[in-house]
Amino acid sequence: MKNKRSSAPQEAETRPSRCPDNSAFKQQKLPAWKPQLTIASVLSTFFLTGAFCLSVGVSLVVAANSIRETQIDYSDKCSNCSKLRENSSNWNNECLCSINFTLAEDMLGDVFMYYGLQNFYQNHRRYVLSRSDEQLLGRNVDVQNTYCAPFAAYQNGTPMAPCGAIANSMFNDTIDLFYNFNSSVIQVPLLKTGNSWWTDKNVKFRNPESHNLSAAFAGTARPPYWHKPVYLLDEEDERNNGYINDDFIIWMRVSAFATFRNLYRRVSRKGQFADGLPAGNYTFLISYNFPVSKFKGKKYVILSTMVWSGGSNPFLGIAYLVCGTAAILTGFIITAIHLKLKKRKTYFQRR
Amino acid sequence: IFAFLALMCLILAIGNGIWESDKGYNFQVYLPWAESVTSAPLSAFLMFWSYVIILNTVVPISLYVSVEIIRLGNSFYIDWDRRMYYPLNDTPAQARTTTLNEELGQIKYIFSDKTGTLTQNIMCFNKCSINGKSYGDVYDKSGQRIEINENTEKVDFSYNQLADPKFAFYDHSLVEAVKLNDIPTHKFFRLLSLCHTVMPEEKKEGNLVYQAQSPDEGALVTAARNFGFVFRGRTPETITVVEMGETKIYKLLAILDFNNVRKRMSVIVRSPEGDLTLYCKGADTILYELLHPSCESLKEETTEHLNEFAGEGLRTLVVAYKNLDEEYFQDWIKRHHEASTALEGREDKLSEIYEEIEKDLMLLGATAIEDKLQDGVPQTIETLAKASIKIWVLTGDKQETAMNIGYSCNLLYDDMADVFVIEGSTSDEVLNELRNARKKMKPDSFLDSDEVNIQIEKSSKNPKVLPDEQANGVYGLVINGHSLAYALEGNLELELVRTACMCKVVICCRVTPLQKAQVVELVKKYKKAVTLAIGDGANDVSMIKTAHIGVGISGQEGMQAVLSSDFSFAQFRYLQRLLLVHGRWSYIRMCKFLKYFFYKNFAFTLVHFWYGFFSGFSAQTVYDQWFITLYNLVYTSLPVLGMSLFDQDVDDRWSLLFPQLYVPGQQNLYFNKTVFIKCMLQGIYSSLILFFIPYGAMYNTMRSDGKAIADYQSFALMAQTCLLIVVSVQIGLDTSYWTVVNQFFIWGSLSVYFAITFTIYSDGMYLILTASFPFVGTARNTLSQPNVWLAIFLSIALCVLPVVGFRFLKTLLRPTASDKVLLKIKEAKKRPPPPSPKRRLRRTSTRRSGYAFSHQHGFGALIMSGRNMRPKSPFATTGTFSPNSDKHKHKGL
């Protein structure tokens, strides 16, 4: 074959032959990088990954440990309210419930207040689908053609605004926080806007265009579980009312799991609370509207600070530590095996 | 795999039933059941089908399309290979079917034709022995024989105007002997120019073309022509010969025709001087009986030479003459005429008459003709044998011829423990011979405890797959046509397969085209092996069609074989490249492709399965609909195609140099059930990581600015990004040959993923098609978070590191045979010049005189066999000679 290689190209030049082109592609001789698993590359991969994982893990754990968090399950503590809510005929009766708690340490920095739900399957397929994004963009849509059913329209044909199971089941407890300072009770100032994604607030949700909001929603009705129509969600702030209400937007961003927490309020860093929440006694005053006992769910209210890696989820840190340790251990095991084999090899060679 | 899918769906459906009755029932406040659903079992039933739709990606439909593309690509590589292009007749290799490439990497049995496939079907006058002197070898000054190669000086025949320019001879002493008017030499060549049935054709002055019935004869007459005894023309009664430039007309008195029993032919001519002479040529065994006692010493010398020639794989003929007495001849010719016109028993009478006159012959010498092998055949066969491919030669030739070719092309060799010859002419004899052979190869194969026997016992009657049996040495088997006919009958079949498949080489001679196909069929039936048949002529068509893969040699013998073949090329030696390089690559690529493809689909799909447990078994998908659509189509299709079109674990030189690398393919080690289960497990593991790492990282957590990140859309984006990066890294691990294209495809696919993701999650798209792109802003909000990237990195590390470690430890601790070879190659590469493998593999064909110098004497009796001649040409047959009814086909089947 060797002489053919030299003779064939000349032939191809002299006459058009059926000889295939001598291109690297056609002859499968493209230049290539041929990586191979060598002991050096494998070990360095393991040790480098291990070291990286360990350091990331340590910093994550340290960060997560610096988070101050208080979580209070109030579904049981307000048992009288939860009993009341079990009977849906009492829906209009207000039920207030106050919970006292003590912060042992200061919560410094931005403090966020969440409500948490357990066993609430926001990720159920039919639940996830049960909304109309077009309606929420302020467009005029026929809700009957959406997946909103059975929360699309009333029997008389009045469409619900907003429609769908998600909107209908919106979390509607109101939670206020009071600071008991030297026997005086100070309401902690809370921010209710700026809690959602910018894209959601400005792109994904829009109110219908009209001279005022109630006119814009004329011809629609509130979802059956709501106490008030959508244009009364926040009567004080025009830019937080209707579909672009932050609480509503946050609720509409459905959670991936059945247990989740949504941002409810942020502590406004003013006056006494400029550095966060000082240690002391506090009281949550909760208007209990959202029934959870029926589906064996639980409700929480959570106060938490944040770090660069997010909330107080230790999982990532621990996983990194485990992964790093495992990688380094495997590295050592491979080294040991390699050395042993090498020794045996040289031993045999010597013999 | 379908069962697996059904099982998963069933689990999820049951889970849904339980969930709906337990939790969903209570959850109806917020999410009432759909109108048609009235109970949990019904919901479970519906959910089963929903999950079938979602999880059906474990059965990848796009697989079939991709497989076809890969096959097509690899077929083009075969067409494009310059190393399989034969410049002499401008024939590139051709893949005529595109669906069999990977089977080329799994061949266990090759069935080869002989004539035109192993040999060129060109005869060359190579050596001769005249009056006890051997000509044809070239010696250097010190008397050492030197190998003839392209550089050896050829004999210059320019003194002879009528010489055939293509004829090559290297021994100058023979020409000198001719020029010196050495009488035996002249007689020798005169005989060659007279005693034959060749027809000359002279269209232009001096441009002679011989039409010979058998190529052997043509070779002999051409040799005589070049040495100055030019056979120039014949009429029914005369033969014109230009002897050393001098035209002589011989009267042709009789042709004593060739036949199978006589194994010789003679002519009786009257020279211009008036001498009556009988010239005879024939097989040595026959002719030696007829010699005059005075030739005894010459006979011994010639025998020595004959053995030497035969040992080199040459076909030999002995030539002799006899001066006739005028009176005796007249008497004889009369009787001959009577015999040839006899009505009854004409044949017998004729042969009696012939025998009477063909005796007391004077020995002149012997000729040796080379049945020229194609270039590189012995090397190819050696290489293929090293790749533990079993080669069966099926030829229409006679046994001696076939075995001789077997020796000369390295199929049979002296180091073999034994070569069994099966030539029984009854069913029982054949059975005995086969059994004896098997007994010798594997003595305990007759014990009841032998596994194969047990297996045969168990499943009597219906055809089953026989396991491979190991013989205790290297054996060859030669089986005759009529013995084969018995052996192919019902009960002997099994015996034949067991015995023959233990041998390294099987040669079947005198087989019909139908038998060729039957033999192939037999092996296909009893062995789970891929078979390949290679041939060039119409008589090979049935065999080519029967075998899994048919290869046609696009040579001299028409196009039938090529037309019915799957692959075709011009030279037998390209077979090694087709199998060891293209076949192997195709096989490995296909296996890698399948492994990876199943892996990526498992990793992709099973995430849904795990998510089912967390989403109330509601058939909620993890990923965005768009991602599901584009995953197989855009994001992951090109890298895997790139890998399976360009990957090479070792390049072509090494795979030819280490044919052992071919063995894993034969045993289908790279893709079988175990491998499939392994890649399934890997996929399951990856999907676990790919689900639970994002789950853990997102569970109850927030962005660093306190806003949401644990929402469904962010989770979907994170999971799909993890998945895509992991499978991209995985293909990076699988790729062992990174060309520019691979790099481009892999990086390109990743960037296309991010580009598409950001596009379809953008504001504009949302405002245009609100319902289709609900993920607006997710990419921007999620992928800017450090903990998302940390989670992605962690999933990659967890998915990839175990694979790396496992693979490395496997090669370290339990290396397979091919791992060892690869290691050797790696070591050899470190040493600067790899031994030029091409030189080693390609040697000039004459070199084979080095092989098999001293094999058995019996094969010295190589005979011109059935292909010699028939005096049927209108000129040659003088009216008195009845044309012999010659049954032999002109060429071996």
Side-chain angles (χ1 to χ4, degrees):
Chain A
M1 272 174 229
K2 189 160 194 175
N3 69 337
K4 221 186 87 187
R5 209 155 52 136
S6 55
S7 70
Q10 297 164 2
E11 206 160 309
E13 283 161 18
T14 50
R15 70 195 161 90
S17 78
R18 296 199 286 156
C19 180
D21 300 342
N22 192 9
S23 63
F25 170 65
K26 288 192 174 180
Q27 301 307 314
Q28 306 200 57
K29 292 208 172 298
L30 287 175
W33 174 54
K34 297 170 214 165
Q36 264 170 331
L37 290 181
T38 60
I39 182 76
S41 63
V42 170
L43 282 184
S44 55
T45 314
F46 272 92
F47 284 122
L48 283 179
T49 321
F52 176 77
C53 287
L54 278 184
S55 50
V56 170
V58 166
S59 55
L60 279 173
V61 167
V62 166
N65 280 344
S66 70
I67 290 176
R68 298 283 165 267
E69 188 184 285
T70 310
Q71 172 170 321
I72 291 159
D73 176 356
Y74 69 95
S75 42
D76 293 333
K77 287 194 174 158
C78 307
S79 49
N80 56 330
C81 290
S82 83
K83 285 237 173 60
L84 182 81
R85 289 292 168 231
E86 267 176 39
N87 190 344
S88 53
S89 60
N90 297 328
W91 67 272
N92 220 3
N93 301 354
E94 200 174 12
C95 178
L96 284 175
C97 162
S98 68
I99 296 158
N100 297 319
F101 69 101
T102 311
L103 280 185
E105 287 174 85
D106 291 348
M107 291 179 96
L108 298 180
D110 287 329
V111 179
F112 300 87
M113 186 188 197
Y114 297 94
Y115 59 88
L117 288 173
Q118 200 182 29
N119 230 349
F120 190 96
Y121 280 82
Q122 264 203 322
N123 57 3
H124 195 282
R125 185 174 56 91
R126 282 188 298 112
Y127 186 87
V128 172
L129 287 175
S130 184
R131 64 192 285 164
S132 167
D133 281 326
E134 299 219 27
Q135 188 192 37
L136 299 175
L137 259 179
R139 291 183 188 160
N140 199 5
V141 282
D142 180 7
V143 288
Q144 302 285 12
N145 287 340
T146 63
Y147 291 103
C148 283
F151 301 107
Y154 287 99
Q155 303 239 309
N156 59 14
T158 322
M160 298 183 195
C163 76
I166 309 179
N168 180 46
S169 61
M170 182 180 161
F171 183 82
N172 53 2
D173 286 2
T174 52
I175 307 167
D176 289 315
L177 181 59
F178 296 93
Y179 178 40
N180 309 326
F181 183 65
N182 296 339
S183 73
S184 66
V185 176
I186 306 164
Q187 181 163 15
V188 179
L190 297 174
L191 297 172
K192 55 185 175 184
T193 55
N195 295 342
S196 60
W197 289 1
W198 183 91
T199 44
D200 282 356
K201 181 104 178 168
N202 295 287
V203 182
K204 204 172 178 182
F205 293 85
R206 279 178 199 178
N207 281 323
E209 307 256 331
S210 190
H211 57 280
N212 74 17
L213 215 50
S214 56
F217 287 103
T220 63
R222 62 182 168 84
Y225 290 9
W226 284 26
H227 291 200
K228 45 194 174 184
V230 64
Y231 50 85
L232 295 178
L233 280 177
D234 188 346
E235 294 166 65
E236 298 151 21
D237 187 354
E238 178 76 8
R239 299 203 54 249
N240 192 29
N241 203 357
Y243 291 151
I244 56 171
N245 178 270
D246 263 23
D247 291 340
F248 176 66
I249 291 173
I250 287 171
W251 181 257
M252 292 303 284
R253 182 152 284 281
V254 294
S255 160
F257 306 106
T259 300
F260 60 94
R261 46 176 74 171
N262 279 345
L263 184 56
Y264 185 65
R265 295 286 183 265
R266 291 179 294 148
V267 173
S268 171
R269 294 172 68 173
K270 285 193 290 197
Q272 260 171 315
F273 309 105
D275 296 329
L277 293 179
N281 292 324
Y282 290 86
T283 305
F284 281 126
L285 186 65
I286 297 163
S287 160
Y288 196 114
N289 300 319
F290 194 78
V292 289
S293 54
K294 261 200 169 162
F295 58 92
K296 294 172 193 148
K298 285 207 159 74
K299 294 198 286 190
Y300 303 90
V301 58
I302 300 135
L303 286 172
S304 176
T305 59
M306 289 292 148
V307 285
W308 62 272
S309 60
S312 69
N313 184 346
F315 172 82
L316 216 48
I318 293 167
Y320 261 101
L321 285 180
V322 171
C323 173
T325 322
I328 285 181
L329 276 182
T330 324
F332 279 123
I333 291 171
I334 291 177
T335 321
I337 292 171
H338 179 72
L339 287 179
K340 204 173 161 195
L341 283 182
K342 211 174 173 186
K343 212 187 252 171
R344 202 196 293 165
K345 218 182 195 175
T346 47
Y347 177 68
F348 278 125
Q349 277 167 357
R350 233 176 274 153
R351 274 174 55 170
Chain B
I1 189 161
F2 286 100
F4 182 69
L5 172 67
L7 179 73
M8 283 198 300
C9 294
L10 197 67
I11 292 174
L12 289 167
I14 292 169
N16 179 260
I18 296 167
W19 186 89
E20 288 290 354
S21 58
D22 178 34
K23 294 188 175 153
Y25 182 76
N26 299 315
F27 195 59
Q28 286 195 63
V29 199
Y30 293 124
L31 184 68
W33 284 347
E35 278 164 43
S36 51
V37 179
T38 49
S39 71
L42 181 62
S43 155
F45 175 76
L46 292 176
M47 216 44 83
F48 178 82
W49 298 110
S50 306
Y51 270 115
V52 168
I53 293 168
I54 288 182
L55 298 180
N56 72 33
T57 39
V58 286
V59 189
I61 296 160
S62 57
L63 181 80
Y64 299 104
V65 183
S66 309
V67 163
E68 288 310 315
I69 294 176
I70 292 164
R71 283 175 171 164
L72 190 70
N74 282 318
S75 307
F76 274 122
Y77 282 135
I78 292 172
D79 291 350
W80 286 335
D81 195 338
R82 286 174 84 90
R83 302 255 182 106
M84 285 173 34
Y85 165 76
Y86 190 54
L88 289 188
N89 54 8
D90 192 23
T91 321
Q94 223 187 338
R96 302 169 49 85
T97 341
T98 58
T99 50
L100 294 168
N101 296 326
E102 68 274 4
E103 289 195 359
L104 284 177
Q106 300 172 274
I107 305 285
K108 247 186 199 164
Y109 292 91
I110 291 180
F111 299 91
S112 173
D113 176 36
K114 190 197 77 91
T115 318
T117 307
L118 298 176
T119 64
Q120 297 175 340
N121 206 16
I122 294 175
M123 302 296 165
C124 275
F125 179 80
N126 200 295
K127 286 180 185 173
C128 63
S129 157
I130 302 173
N131 202 17
K133 190 172 184 315
S134 165
Y135 297 96
D137 287 324
V138 186
Y139 299 89
D140 64 10
K141 278 166 198 144
S142 59
Q144 286 285 316
R145 198 155 86 161
I146 49 177
E147 270 186 25
I148 293 172
N149 57 36
E150 281 135 22
N151 302 324
T152 315
E153 196 196 340
K154 286 183 191 169
V155 171
D156 182 19
F157 289 110
S158 55
Y159 67 90
N160 183 353
Q161 305 262 312
L162 293 165
D164 183 354
K166 273 180 277 180
F167 183 79
F169 201 77
Y170 300 94
D171 189 353
H172 295 264
S173 57
L174 186 55
V175 190
E176 275 153 34
V178 173
K179 283 184 181 163
L180 289 173
N181 289 332
D182 183 40
I183 291 168
T185 316
H186 275 209
K187 270 189 183 156
F188 178 84
F189 283 115
R190 187 172 299 131
L191 184 149
L192 292 186
S193 65
L194 289 173
C195 178
H196 55 77
T197 55
V198 172
M199 294 304 296
E201 207 178 303
E202 193 169 2
K203 284 188 180 140
K204 269 190 295 174
E205 180 70 22
N207 186 10
L208 268 173
V209 178
Y210 292 131
Q211 302 287 343
Q213 273 287 8
S214 89
D216 300 53
E217 263 202 323
L220 290 176
V221 179
T222 310
R225 165 182 168 185
N226 275 41
F227 282 102
F229 289 79
V230 185
F231 165 65
R232 205 150 185 200
R234 68 157 85 226
T235 65
E237 273 117 38
T238 62
I239 295 176
T240 314
V241 176
V242 183
E243 269 179 33
M244 304 306 287
E246 186 186 331
T247 309
K248 285 187 176 177
I249 297 175
Y250 289 85
K251 270 206 149 153
L252 179 65
L253 301 174
I255 292 181
L256 282 62
D257 177 25
F258 176 89
N259 79 23
N260 224 359
V261 183
R262 282 160 45 77
K263 294 185 176 171
R264 63 183 183 267
M265 81 162 285
S266 305
V267 291
I268 299 169
V269 293
R270 191 191 296 279
S271 70
E273 289 85 27
D275 298 333
L276 265 180
T277 318
L278 177 140
Y279 292 107
C280 180
K281 65 180 181 189
D284 49 4
T285 43
I286 306 285
L287 233 62
Y288 270 19
E289 309 280 306
L290 308 172
L291 290 183
H292 194 265
S294 65
C295 313
E296 205 53 47
S297 66
L298 180 57
K299 196 163 124 187
E300 264 168 40
E301 283 169 34
T302 312
T303 311
E304 224 168 83
H305 292 150
L306 279 173
N307 287 342
E308 199 177 302
F309 296 157
E312 292 167 30
L314 304 176
R315 303 158 165 250
T316 55
L317 272 185
V318 170
V319 295
Y321 75 102
K322 180 188 180 183
N323 289 322
L324 291 178
D325 189 37
E326 181 70 45
E327 279 172 39
Y328 172 73
F329 175 71
Q330 289 305 339
D331 177 42
W332 181 84
I333 194 94
K334 214 174 280 165
R335 281 185 288 132
H336 175 257
H337 183 75
E338 279 166 23
S340 61
T341 50
L343 293 172
E344 273 173 40
R346 186 193 296 168
E347 301 250 327
D348 295 341
K349 280 182 188 161
L350 266 179
S351 64
E352 245 171 67
I353 292 276
Y354 286 168
E355 248 166 64
E356 187 197 315
I357 198 163
E358 285 171 329
K359 64 186 179 194
D360 294 337
L361 302 172
M362 301 300 291
L363 182 60
L364 256 179
T367 61
I369 291 175
E370 186 186 356
D371 186 359
K372 260 203 152 171
L373 291 179
Q374 292 191 0
D375 282 350
V377 166
Q379 290 77 38
T380 305
I381 284 177
E382 202 186 327
T383 314
L384 293 177
K386 269 196 213 154
S388 70
I389 298 173
K390 291 185 173 161
I391 300 168
W392 295 35
V393 176
L394 311 175
T395 174
D397 282 350
K398 294 199 63 185
Q399 187 180 322
E400 291 91 342
T401 324
M403 283 179 79
N404 212 55
I405 288 295
Y407 275 103
S408 63
C409 62
N410 234 9
L411 275 168
L412 303 170
Y413 43 90
D414 294 325
D415 290 346
M416 281 184 147
D418 204 351
V419 176
F420 306 109
V421 179
I422 311 287
E423 45 192 354
S425 51
T426 66
S427 177
D428 290 341
E429 273 176 56
V430 174
L431 178 66
N432 275 337
E433 282 171 335
L434 286 172
R435 287 229 157 128
N436 288 339
R438 184 145 67 91
K439 205 167 209 164
K440 191 164 178 204
M441 282 192 284
K442 192 182 169 195
D444 53 356
S445 74
F446 287 95
L447 303 176
D448 285 339
S449 58
D450 189 66
E451 302 169 36
V452 183
N453 288 339
I454 295 171
Q455 212 176 328
I456 291 170
E457 283 293 311
K458 257 191 236 163
S459 54
S460 52
K461 293 289 171 229
N462 48 334
K464 63 243 140 206
V465 175
L466 289 179
D468 287 331
E469 293 177 272
Q470 210 60 48
N472 54 12
V474 180
Y475 291 93
L477 181 81
V478 178
I479 186 161
N480 233 318
H482 48 267
S483 309
L484 189 64
Y486 290 115
L488 287 172
E489 275 167 16
N491 47 349
L492 281 185
E493 252 184 18
L494 202 66
E495 208 60 48
L496 174 69
V497 171
R498 286 189 68 181
T499 308
C501 288
M502 267 197 264
C503 297
K504 208 168 167 217
V505 169
V506 178
I507 297 178
C508 304
C509 18
R510 296 211 75 66
V511 292
T512 62
L514 181 66
Q515 278 180 321
K516 286 184 180 187
Q518 280 175 329
V519 170
V520 177
E521 189 64 52
L522 186 70
V523 174
K524 264 174 83 177
K525 185 167 145 198
Y526 284 108
K527 291 279 174 179
K528 200 176 145 239
V530 185
T531 54
L532 178 144
I534 179 166
D536 71 324
N539 49 24
D540 305 315
V541 169
S542 60
M543 165 171 95
I544 286 174
K545 280 189 170 156
T546 314
H548 292 105
I549 297 176
V551 176
I553 300 278
S554 36
Q556 292 80 16
E557 261 194 82
M559 289 298 284
Q560 279 118 315
V562 172
L563 288 177
S564 55
S565 68
D566 305 312
F567 299 91
S568 73
F569 40 73
Q571 292 274 296
F572 181 78
R573 65 167 187 269
Y574 298 152
L575 188 64
Q576 60 177 352
R577 197 171 165 81
L578 182 73
L579 298 187
L580 298 184
V581 178
H582 288 287
R584 190 168 165 277
W585 278 345
S586 300
Y587 173 69
I588 290 181
R589 285 168 185 170
M590 190 56 79
C591 292
K592 274 192 172 182
F593 167 79
L594 290 175
K595 268 198 280 189
Y596 176 74
F597 210 92
F598 280 112
Y599 163 76
K600 91 177 158 80
N601 277 295
F602 272 114
F604 169 72
T605 312
L606 287 176
V607 176
H608 295 310
F609 179 75
W610 309 121
Y611 193 50
F613 291 91
F614 294 86
S615 65
F617 306 95
S618 60
Q620 173 66 22
T621 56
V622 177
Y623 317 115
D624 177 13
Q625 290 302 326
W626 287 99
F627 182 77
I628 294 173
T629 317
L630 297 175
Y631 176 73
N632 273 330
L633 208 64
V634 178
Y635 299 146
T636 58
S637 61
L638 284 180
V640 68
L641 273 186
M643 177 183 79
S644 38
L645 285 178
F646 296 105
D647 208 44
Q648 328 181 338
D649 54 345
V650 289
D651 66 15
D652 48 349
R653 280 180 316 155
W654 293 106
S655 46
L656 285 174
L657 205 55
F658 290 96
Q660 302 90 310
L661 286 173
Y662 190 77
V663 178
Q666 292 169 333
Q667 294 155 357
N668 200 4
L669 284 187
Y670 291 143
F671 196 80
N672 48 33
K673 271 182 204 140
T674 342
V675 175
F676 177 73
I677 288 176
K678 262 190 211 162
C679 74
M680 197 167 103
L681 288 177
Q682 195 198 345
I684 292 173
Y685 168 75
S686 289
S687 69
L688 275 171
I689 296 290
L690 288 171
F691 177 74
F692 284 101
I693 294 292
Y695 170 72
M698 287 212 161
Y699 184 76
N700 264 354
T701 196
M702 290 296 144
R703 293 193 343 185
S704 49
D705 60 359
K707 292 178 186 172
I709 200 177
D711 64 298
Y712 164 70
Q713 294 186 340
S714 302
F715 176 72
L717 180 71
M718 188 162 158
Q720 68 200 32
T721 312
C722 281
L723 171 74
L724 201 73
I725 297 181
V726 164
V727 295
S728 298
V729 173
Q730 181 67 38
I731 195 144
L733 268 187
D734 284 345
T735 308
S736 50
Y737 194 79
W738 284 75
T739 61
V740 190
V741 188
N742 291 78
Q743 302 268 13
F744 176 74
F745 280 168
I746 293 178
W747 297 115
S749 290
L750 275 179
S751 27
V752 162
Y753 166 70
F754 284 109
I756 290 184
T757 306
F758 276 99
T759 311
I760 63 178
Y761 294 177
S762 67
D763 305 350
M765 295 298 277
Y766 182 72
L767 295 177
I768 297 165
L769 281 169
T770 310
S772 306
F773 302 105
F775 275 57
V776 59
T778 314
R780 274 171 284 168
N781 285 299
T782 305
L783 294 179
S784 59
Q785 292 301 302
N787 54 349
V788 169
W789 286 104
L790 285 177
I792 290 173
F793 179 81
L794 186 67
S795 349
I796 298 168
L798 281 174
C799 283
V800 171
L801 279 187
V803 180
V804 174
F806 181 73
R807 284 196 189 166
F808 184 73
L809 284 180
K810 206 176 139 205
T811 50
L812 205 63
L813 293 175
R814 299 177 61 191
T816 57
S818 55
D819 283 336
K820 284 176 190 158
V821 177
L822 293 175
L823 196 71
K824 249 192 240 165
I825 291 175
K826 217 160 81 185
E827 275 164 15
K829 268 183 191 164
K830 282 179 196 157
R831 281 177 247 127
S836 168
K838 271 157 266 152
R839 169 73 43 84
R840 205 187 66 92
L841 287 167
R842 188 189 141 89
R843 282 170 173 146
T844 50
S845 52
T846 36
R847 186 218 167 268
R848 53 202 160 76
S849 45
Y851 294 112
F853 238 138
S854 57
H855 66 71
Q856 302 98 309
H857 287 268
F859 303 114
L862 176 59
I863 300 158
M864 293 290 287
S865 73
R867 60 185 50 206
N868 204 333
M869 64 196 69
R870 352 182 295 181
K872 230 187 165 178
S873 59
F875 299 97
T877 339
T878 47
T880 44
F881 297 117
S882 70
N884 201 318
S885 58
D886 194 340
K887 284 144 289 191
H888 317 300
K889 291 199 182 150
H890 127 77
K891 199 186 83 72
L893 295 168

